[in-house]
Amino acid sequence: MAPYHIRKYRESDRQWVVGLLSRGMAEHVPATFQQLLKLPRTLILLLGGPLTLLLVSGSWLLVLVFSLSLFPALWFLARKPWNMFVDMTLHTDMSDITKSYLSERGSCFWVAESREKVVGMVGALPVDDPTLMEKRLQLFHLFVDTEHRRQGIAKALVRTVLQFARDQGYSEVVLDTSTIQLSAMALYESMGFQRTGQFFFCIWARLVAVPSVHFIYHLPSAQAGGL
C-alpha cells in the first residue's frame, strides 16, 4: 500500500482532478446500462418493439436493424446523465476551483497525493440557504483513483471534511450521491451519515431511473469531544 497525504488543492493539480472527475463518472455507465436493461419499459421496448415491427412491416431485415440499433441507443442514454454532470461541474464550481473553494474561509478543496500523483479529491462549500436553522457545509466530488482504493483514502478525505466543518463552526455536513454508487453509500453510512431523501438531479437521471440520495451528518457539539 503506497503512502499518501492529504493537502489543499493547488492550480497545478487541475489536470489530475479533472481526470478523476471524468473517470469517476464514466465508471457508473456500465451499472446504469445494466439497470436500464432491467426496467419494465425497456423490456417492453426490447421484446415488443421487434415483434410489433415484424407484424407491421413483415421485414426481418428491418427488425434486425431496429434490434441492433437499440443497444447503442440505450448505452448513449446510460452515459448521458454522467456526461451532463461532468459538463455542468466543469462550467460551475470546478471551472475555477481556487475561486470557488479557496477564496473564502468557510470552504476548501483537498487532494490526496501519493508518489507525486493526485489519487483522490474532495471539496466542501457552505450551503447558502437563509431558511436553515443550522450552519451547514456540503461535501462535493469525493473521488479516489481505482488503483488506490481500499486503502482508507476516501474515509480519510471525508474525515478531513468533517474536521474542517467542526473547526469552522458548522453544525451539519450534507452530501448527495447516486443509488448506483453502492460503495459510496456504504462508506457514508458507516461513518454516521443518515439518509434524508432522494431526488433526480436531471431529466436524464430520471429516464434511466438513477436517483440521487441526500445524506446528512450531525456534528457533535464542542462539549461532546472529538470526531
Side-chain angles (χ1 to χ4, degrees), residues 85-160:
F85 180 83
V86 171
D87 185 64
M88 177 184 67
T89 300
L90 294 179
H91 284 85
T92 52
D93 62 301
M94 283 186 62
S95 64
D96 188 336
I97 295 173
T98 299
K99 181 179 179 180
S100 298
Y101 289 90
L102 300 173
S103 61
E104 300 290 340
R105 185 173 177 271
S107 58
C108 199
F109 199 99
W110 300 267
V111 299
E113 186 178 56
S114 177
R115 295 176 179 173
E116 300 183 351
K117 290 175 55 178
V118 172
V119 299
M121 68 181 193
V122 71
L125 290 171
V127 176
D128 185 13
D129 185 347
T131 65
L132 290 174
M133 300 296 293
E134 303 289 347
K135 191 179 177 184
R136 183 176 290 182
L137 185 72
Q138 184 156 0
L139 181 153
F140 288 99
H141 311 314
L142 175 67
F143 293 103
V144 176
D145 186 68
T146 52
E147 296 180 359
H148 293 81
R149 292 177 187 169
R150 301 185 184 278
Q151 299 180 23
I153 297 176
K155 181 173 286 189
L157 286 166
V158 174
R159 287 193 178 278
T160 299

Side-chain angles (χ1 to χ4, degrees), residues 192-214:
F193 284 84
Q194 299 174 339
R195 301 190 196 195
T196 60
Q198 63 182 41
F199 63 97
F200 293 99
F201 77 90
C202 69
I203 185 62
W204 297 103
R206 184 181 292 275
L207 286 173
V208 298
V210 178
S212 295
V213 182
H214 190 70

